[in-house]
């Protein structure tokens, strides 16, 4: 797909969110972002830079400090299609075991489908 021109890449950035006070365990999240780059290395560097820029801290309504820390780039791949003007699939990944995936994402529709 890539011929030296800027093409779309999809990157998965992982963050840790922690609330001051220590009463709650940290939570983790993935942000799936679109990046245009000329190469996979450039896209990965851009994803890493974006993750670092998105780190933040702020006071919540209870006055506790909420901190979003960039953990790292989980994956970077070329988008499945060069043109993103229309509805299009952006990213695809495969896995070997559905049970853990269902637990991780609490996806009810997958529970129903795998039970049949």
């Amino acid at each position: 797909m890539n011929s030296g021109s800027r093409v779309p890449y999809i990157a998965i950035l992982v963050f840790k969110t922690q609330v001051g006070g220590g009463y709650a365990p940290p939570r983790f999240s993935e942000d799936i972002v679109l990046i245009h780059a000329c190469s996979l290395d450039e896209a990965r560097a851009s994803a890493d830079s974006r993750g670092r820029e998105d780190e933040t801290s702020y006071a919540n309504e209870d006055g506790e400090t909420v901190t979003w820390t960039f953990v790292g780039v989980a994956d970077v791949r070329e988008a499945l299609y060069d043109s993103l003007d229309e509805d299009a699939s952006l990213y695809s990944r495969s896995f070997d075991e559905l049970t853990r995936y269902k637990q991780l994402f609490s996806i009810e529709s997958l529970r129903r489908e795998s039970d049949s």
Side-chain angles (χ1 to χ4, degrees):
M1 195 188 300
N2 191 347
S3 61
S5 60
R6 290 173 51 90
V7 297
Y9 287 84
I10 306 301
I12 299 177
L13 311 180
V14 179
F15 291 89
K16 177 173 88 171
T17 306
Q18 198 153 14
V19 178
Y23 62 87
R27 306 249 331 157
F28 296 90
S29 61
E30 316 183 293
D31 287 5
I32 300 173
V33 299
L34 174 65
I35 295 172
H36 286 84
C38 294
S39 70
L40 179 60
D41 288 340
E42 181 184 324
R44 188 173 304 282
S46 180
D48 187 71
S49 177
R50 180 172 176 159
R52 293 178 193 287
E53 290 170 8
D54 286 349
E55 289 184 319
T56 189
S57 291
Y58 58 90
N60 67 13
E61 60 275 0
D62 296 323
E64 301 161 323
T65 301
V66 178
T67 304
W68 285 72
T69 304
F70 177 56
V71 174
V73 177
D75 198 7
V76 177
R77 298 184 191 187
E78 281 191 46
L80 297 176
Y81 299 96
D82 286 336
S83 174
L84 301 178
D85 297 336
E86 299 290 327
D87 294 345
S89 297
L90 298 177
Y91 177 88
S92 178
R93 64 179 165 181
S94 59
F95 43 90
D96 294 328
E97 209 266 299
L98 186 58
T99 302
R100 179 67 184 129
Y101 188 88
K102 290 186 314 183
Q103 291 170 342
L104 182 62
F105 293 105
S106 301
I107 301 174
E108 191 62 35
S109 62
L110 288 178
R111 283 194 183 111
R112 286 193 304 271
E113 180 152 330
S114 67
D115 291 341
S116 48

